[in-house]
Amino acid sequence: MAVFHPHTVKCICGQTLTVLLADSINVKRSPEAREKILRGELHRTTCPACKRQMTVEKPFYYTDLTRNAFFKVFPRGERHLWKQASADLDTASALVPDSVAVSKGRTLRVLFGMDELREKLVAQDANIDDRVLELMKVLLVHEHPVLLRRAPQEPGRCLAP
C-alpha cells in the first residue's frame, strides 16, 4: 500500500498547483510505485501554466518487505540532517516486529532525493551491495577530483511545503 496526500506546490513561473505526494510506500503492496521510481515518474508533475516538468521533493518512507529494506527519503537540500534522520529511521524500524520483517539483515538507508532512491533500487536489481557502490564512488572521486565540479542544477525541482 502507498499513502498519498495532496500538497500545494509552486512552480518557478509562479503557478500554484496541487499534486499527490507519497508519505509512505510499501512496494510489496504497491509494486507499481517501484516501477514509477525506476522510470523517474514518482513525484513528477507538469505545470499547467508553463508546461515545465518538475520533481517535487518531500520526505517519505519506502519499504520493501521482500528485500527487507527500509528507506527514508528526504529532499536533497536536507542532507545536513543526516544524523538525526538516521536515528529516526532506526527508531521507526525498531517498531516493525520480526513477524513482519526480520530485524537481522535489515537494510536501513537515509536517502536524499529521488535520484538516490532510484540508484538504490537499480543496485538491488543488479545484486550490487550499495555499501560497496558508495565506497567505489568515494574512491573514484578521490582519484578524479574533477568529478566534484557541479553541473548546473536541473530546473524544475521544487520542495513540497
Side-chain angles (χ1 to χ4, degrees):
M1 180 169 111
V3 178
F4 287 83
H5 287 102
H7 291 269
T8 302
V9 297
K10 194 171 191 175
C11 180
I12 60 173
C13 76
Q15 176 74 29
T16 301
L17 55 149
T18 302
V19 294
L20 285 176
L21 302 174
D23 287 333
S24 66
I25 296 173
N26 177 339
V27 295
K28 188 171 185 178
R29 292 185 173 178
S30 301
E32 70 282 355
R34 188 176 200 279
E35 293 306 314
K36 281 184 145 188
I37 294 164
L38 288 169
R39 290 191 309 264
E41 297 172 359
L42 188 75
H43 290 187
R44 193 96 173 129
T45 191
T46 302
C47 175
C50 70
K51 306 300 183 221
R52 180 182 308 272
Q53 289 192 344
M54 65 185 105
T55 299
V56 182
E57 296 186 347
K58 75 166 282 299
F60 68 96
Y61 284 98
Y62 174 95
T63 306
D64 187 338
L65 297 176
T66 304
R67 291 180 172 93
N68 206 12
F70 297 81
F71 303 156
K72 178 70 186 231
V73 182
F74 288 92
R76 291 175 303 155
E78 294 184 11
R79 190 174 302 278
H80 63 283
L81 302 174
W82 68 270
K83 198 169 194 176
Q84 184 60 49
S86 293
D88 292 346
L89 180 58
D90 286 343
T91 301
S93 173
L95 298 174
V96 179
D98 278 352
S99 60
V100 173
V102 180
S103 57
K104 184 178 181 177
R106 254 182 215 171
T107 301
L108 302 178
R109 300 291 184 266
V110 174
L111 309 172
F112 297 94
M114 297 301 289
D115 292 337
E116 285 189 17
L117 175 58
R118 183 182 181 283
E119 181 181 280
K120 295 297 180 202
L121 302 186
V122 169
Q124 283 178 342
D125 288 347
N127 291 320
I128 297 172
D129 185 329
D130 67 306
R131 298 167 298 181
V132 173
L133 183 60
E134 293 300 328
L135 280 173
M136 287 175 51
K137 290 190 311 189
V138 168
L139 291 172
L140 181 65
V141 169
H142 180 268
E143 292 296 320
H144 303 282
V146 70
L147 296 174
L148 288 175
R149 291 190 189 145
R150 293 182 180 254
Q153 185 172 345
E154 173 189 341
R157 294 265 184 187
C158 70
L159 301 176

